[in-house]
Amino acid sequence: MLQHGTRRLLSALAVASAAVLGASAAAQDKVLQLPMRTVGPNTLDPAAGSTTYDNMACSQVYETLMTVSYADPNQLEPLLVAEMPTSYVDDQGRKVWKFRLREDAAFHDDECFPSGQGRPVTTDDVFYSWKRLADRKASEGKNWWLLKDTIVGFDEFKAVQDNRETFDYDAPIEGLRKLSDTEFEVVLKEPVYRFIWVLQMFQTSIVPREAVEHYGKDFSGNPVGTGPFVFEEWRPKQSFTVVRNPEYRTAYYPSDGWSSEDESRGLAEPAGQRIPFVDRLEFSMYVEDNPLWLKFDQGELAYIELPYDFFESAFNKRTKRLNRDLRRRDVSYVVEPQLDFIFRAFNMEDELVGGYTDDKIALRRALALAVDLDEFNNTFYQGLCSVYDGPIPPGLDGHPSDGNAATSYRGPNLELAREYLAQAGYPDGEGLPPIKFYTSRSDVNSRQTAMLKRQLGAINVRVEEYLVDFPDLIGTVNRRAAPMFGFAWASDYPDAENNLALFYSPNSAPGSNHSNYNRPEFDALYDEARLMEPGPERTAKYVQMRDMVINDVPFIGSLARNRYFLINPHVRNAKPTQRHWSWFKYLDTDRTN
């Protein structure tokens, strides 16, 4: 495949200062080598993106209206807006959000603009970018669920456009009110609590219409954003590189919100300094863990999310203390509990493992009861994961106390598994065809699949494994062609509604409901809960929905990881997180190329 963006990069950087581009200056550039797990992003177009790796790449180039605070990931803060939006109730009783854009936010210099010079971000850009989520040619249907049933007139607009040969981006939407080039209002159909959190998700990044139309089908490999870094090159499955945006607006390292622990680690010391600090970010893709660990151990990578297989190479397993060699080398670490949902799911539309009749539910319960998640945790995660019932991870409303729900089909309970298998019509596994299981290709996933096959084999259930590259896995799931599949979901924001949305039928694949779960009773509860403010009444509905999916078993789970991030000593200001991916702009280094 051609290397994306080289021609555009030359045009974009032609307007940058000679000091930035000069060979002598380049020799002093601050450069960070960064890892990206699996084969990396599938697209650099936020409207079509859906994976962590799409997010990780897009978030360096693009920006959203708001972002998650680096100091406190449970708080939102302005990014492309000048201040946090305000809201009021109009004369029809509808909630209206009012936004004001920063006047100094501008798109990167690029050949798509007249004279190659970027222009300020406007209200029209916001509306255009959101409309792209409704355009099936742009978003591939993946991300409409983020705004569906939210904004007055938006669903009706989409219905009209779905029947047109050409998508009309200029058609108005009642609930999107332009007040000026920098001010606008959004009228909600209903007071959806999550709306404001959706606006920090990378899929809602603001893109310029000129770039989309100029690059056409190649826009997915030629991103033009407003972010602190400018796209340089993407070599699919190999590397992704961005350079400092020489025209980035004045922005500063955060001063407020740091915990006492963060302050003791020196994270607040650069407060008030201008960002970004580094000149170049070079991401490399790692499918296997061994080369990832070796590159970090050799000091080449800025940080890593420590592979669990290498935990004892870095820590004492009993004390969780960093080993002497790494301490001597001034390697540091951060532990972050994940809002994590690791699962193996069923396609509820599949003829064999899907369905809602008693026999189909019994089959899935049998499979779940044969799986030993504690063995997975101890073998592959050093016992560092939280094992729990349902789809709501620790730390969120609706998570069961101590991880144990009143009703559970978590194994291992082989005797009960065999009873359910007989109820399903397959006594002792007789007559049950092999179950096709898909997951992403890696050494650890190969070993995890072998364990899954062994555990299910204990009740005479056979599994056919399909290990594929991660983008191919997502594509197969989105086409509803994987009977059973495994991956993880990291919550986009700290609310269980985000996890419960994975089972809301309007979000079925290629939306976030990967298992295509469809229970009208669940949907009704979800529709009620999404309009409610946090509180006991909403939590009670979350619990009802949680227990409903536990009973129907559209997935086997769950595990939530505690991530151990290791940081090499040449890196400054590092507070690694997977809660958002725009934090690289805060990193500094004493290493130059």
Side-chain angles (χ1 to χ4, degrees):
M1 184 176 291
L2 293 174
Q3 296 179 4
H4 296 265
T6 302
R7 173 177 56 82
R8 181 172 70 77
L9 173 71
L10 296 176
S11 174
L13 296 186
V15 298
S17 67
V20 173
L21 294 178
S24 60
Q28 300 302 314
D29 280 353
K30 292 183 176 183
V31 179
L32 286 177
Q33 301 286 341
L34 300 164
M36 194 175 289
R37 304 297 291 275
T38 77
V39 295
N42 193 38
T43 179
L44 303 182
D45 180 350
S50 61
T51 73
T52 292
Y53 314 104
D54 300 338
N55 187 349
M56 195 174 183
C58 287
S59 295
Q60 310 319 310
V61 177
Y62 291 107
E63 293 180 309
T64 48
L65 296 188
M66 284 166 293
T67 188
V68 174
S69 166
Y70 190 46
D72 182 357
N74 290 315
Q75 297 297 320
L76 285 176
E77 60 186 25
L79 188 55
L80 283 178
V81 289
E83 66 270 317
M84 290 298 289
T86 57
S87 65
Y88 66 91
V89 177
D90 69 9
D91 56 8
Q92 298 183 50
R94 302 175 303 190
K95 188 168 188 175
V96 181
W97 284 98
K98 186 173 183 178
F99 299 82
R100 183 169 68 89
L101 294 169
R102 299 177 61 106
E103 296 185 0
D104 58 353
F107 291 112
H108 302 154
D109 294 341
D110 188 88
E111 67 185 35
C112 70
F113 299 115
S115 303
Q117 186 170 354
R119 60 165 178 78
V121 178
T122 68
T123 294
D124 291 336
D125 296 313
V126 176
F127 292 174
Y128 173 76
S129 300
W130 291 358
K131 287 177 179 179
R132 293 188 74 233
L133 299 184
D135 184 349
R136 286 183 291 192
K137 290 183 179 178
S139 70
E140 302 174 8
K142 294 178 182 176
N143 295 312
W144 171 238
W145 68 277
L146 296 175
L147 296 177
K148 187 178 186 297
D149 295 326
T150 301
I151 298 171
V152 171
F154 210 161
D155 295 81
E156 292 79 5
F157 164 85
K158 184 180 189 306
V160 171
Q161 301 307 317
D162 284 347
N163 292 315
R164 286 176 52 91
E165 185 174 338
T166 302
F167 196 97
D168 183 5
Y169 279 97
D170 296 316
I173 295 173
E174 180 185 350
L176 298 180
R177 299 173 176 168
K178 179 179 178 178
L179 305 179
S180 70
D181 279 347
T182 57
E183 291 185 290
F184 61 94
E185 292 182 337
V186 179
V187 185
L188 301 188
K189 292 173 64 174
E190 298 173 299
V192 180
Y193 175 74
R194 72 169 185 176
F195 172 69
I196 210 70
W197 280 95
V198 165
L199 302 186
Q200 57 84 33
M201 293 174 62
F202 84 101
Q203 294 96 328
T204 66
S205 295
I206 309 306
V207 307
R209 185 169 183 170
E210 296 95 324
V212 177
E213 295 180 347
H214 177 79
Y215 290 107
K217 62 182 177 60
D218 294 327
F219 177 66
S220 64
N222 287 278
V224 182
T226 60
F229 297 101
V230 176
F231 171 65
E232 180 180 274
E233 182 183 62
W234 175 32
R235 302 178 67 189
K237 301 185 180 182
Q238 297 181 59
S239 63
F240 172 74
T241 304
V242 294
V243 296
R244 181 203 293 265
N245 176 7
E247 306 297 330
Y248 193 56
R249 63 184 181 271
T250 302
Y252 301 102
Y253 190 90
S255 301
D256 302 321
W258 298 105
S259 68
S260 56
E261 180 182 353
D262 289 338
E263 290 181 350
S264 69
R265 294 182 54 236
L267 284 169
E269 291 178 5
Q273 296 183 28
R274 189 169 178 179
I275 59 169
F277 294 112
V278 301
D279 301 290
R280 187 179 181 88
L281 303 179
E282 297 179 350
F283 295 86
S284 296
M285 286 51 160
Y286 295 88
V287 175
E288 303 298 340
D289 289 337
N290 190 59
L292 174 69
W293 168 253
L294 290 176
K295 284 290 186 181
F296 176 83
D297 197 40
Q298 292 164 2
E300 295 184 32
L301 294 176
Y303 87 107
I304 60 167
E305 165 203 314
L306 181 63
Y308 288 98
D309 280 355
F310 290 88
F311 186 82
E312 291 185 78
S313 298
F315 290 90
N316 180 294
K317 186 174 181 180
R318 181 180 60 83
T319 65
K320 307 297 188 296
R321 189 182 186 204
L322 200 64
N323 71 34
R324 183 180 304 171
D325 177 61
L326 293 179
R327 294 200 310 270
R328 186 166 50 241
R329 289 158 48 188
D330 289 329
V331 170
S332 59
Y333 73 96
V334 172
V335 183
E336 184 187 57
Q338 301 297 293
L339 298 179
D340 223 1
F341 173 40
I342 304 174
F343 59 89
R344 280 129 188 120
F346 302 101
N347 176 7
M348 296 294 282
E349 296 179 349
D350 184 74
E351 184 177 350
L352 178 62
V353 297
Y356 301 87
T357 56
D358 290 345
D359 59 328
K360 295 298 187 180
I361 293 174
L363 173 59
R364 294 192 298 272
R365 288 178 179 176
L367 300 178
L369 285 162
V371 171
D372 185 348
L373 293 179
D374 288 316
E375 184 180 13
F376 275 95
N377 186 22
N378 292 325
T379 303
F380 298 107
Y381 302 100
Q382 303 293 324
L384 298 172
C385 285
S386 297
V387 182
Y388 64 95
D389 293 324
I392 303 176
L396 299 183
D397 288 348
H399 177 75
S401 177
D402 299 322
N404 300 306
T407 300
S408 173
Y409 297 97
R410 194 199 316 168
N413 187 333
L414 299 184
E415 181 179 353
L416 188 56
R418 293 187 182 99
E419 290 180 17
Y420 275 113
L421 198 57
Q423 290 178 30
Y426 306 107
D428 203 29
E430 184 177 343
L432 180 64
I435 296 172
K436 297 179 180 180
F437 174 74
Y438 288 76
T439 192
S440 58
R441 188 194 322 275
S442 71
D443 174 65
V444 68
N445 279 347
S446 177
R447 289 184 285 125
Q448 288 203 21
T449 302
M451 180 176 287
L452 178 70
K453 292 170 70 173
R454 173 175 57 77
Q455 291 181 355
L456 293 179
I459 58 170
N460 293 328
V461 171
R462 293 169 294 156
V463 173
E464 286 183 4
E465 64 183 82
Y466 293 84
L467 297 173
V468 298
D469 288 340
F470 190 75
D472 295 329
L473 169 65
I474 297 301
T476 304
V477 171
N478 285 344
R479 293 192 305 273
R480 311 187 187 194
M484 185 179 178
F485 53 91
F487 52 84
W489 176 270
S491 301
D492 297 301
Y493 42 88
D495 191 323
E497 177 272 331
N498 185 243
N499 288 70
L500 294 167
L502 302 180
F503 304 96
Y504 184 56
S505 67
N507 296 341
S508 294
S512 62
N513 181 356
H514 305 292
S515 59
N516 307 304
Y517 183 73
N518 188 347
R519 274 283 191 196
E521 305 95 321
F522 181 97
D523 291 348
L525 284 168
Y526 180 86
D527 284 333
E528 294 173 9
R530 72 192 187 98
L531 305 180
M532 300 169 67
E533 295 290 322
E537 187 178 354
R538 189 187 70 164
T539 300
K541 292 188 184 297
Y542 283 179
V543 170
Q544 282 183 270
M545 287 184 277
R546 179 199 76 196
D547 291 348
M548 193 175 294
V549 294
I550 288 174
N551 276 292
D552 284 339
V553 199
F555 67 92
I556 299 172
S558 306
L559 293 169
R561 290 163 288 198
N562 288 297
R563 292 289 197 190
Y564 282 71
F565 297 98
L566 296 184
I567 306 156
N568 263 317
H570 66 275
V571 182
R572 305 284 182 266
N573 317 332
K575 186 182 180 181
T577 180
Q578 293 190 345
R579 298 281 290 275
H580 64 102
W581 288 109
S582 59
W583 54 272
F584 296 107
K585 64 189 176 186
Y586 297 119
L587 298 183
D588 199 357
T589 180
D590 55 17
R591 180 173 291 181
T592 58
N593 67 357

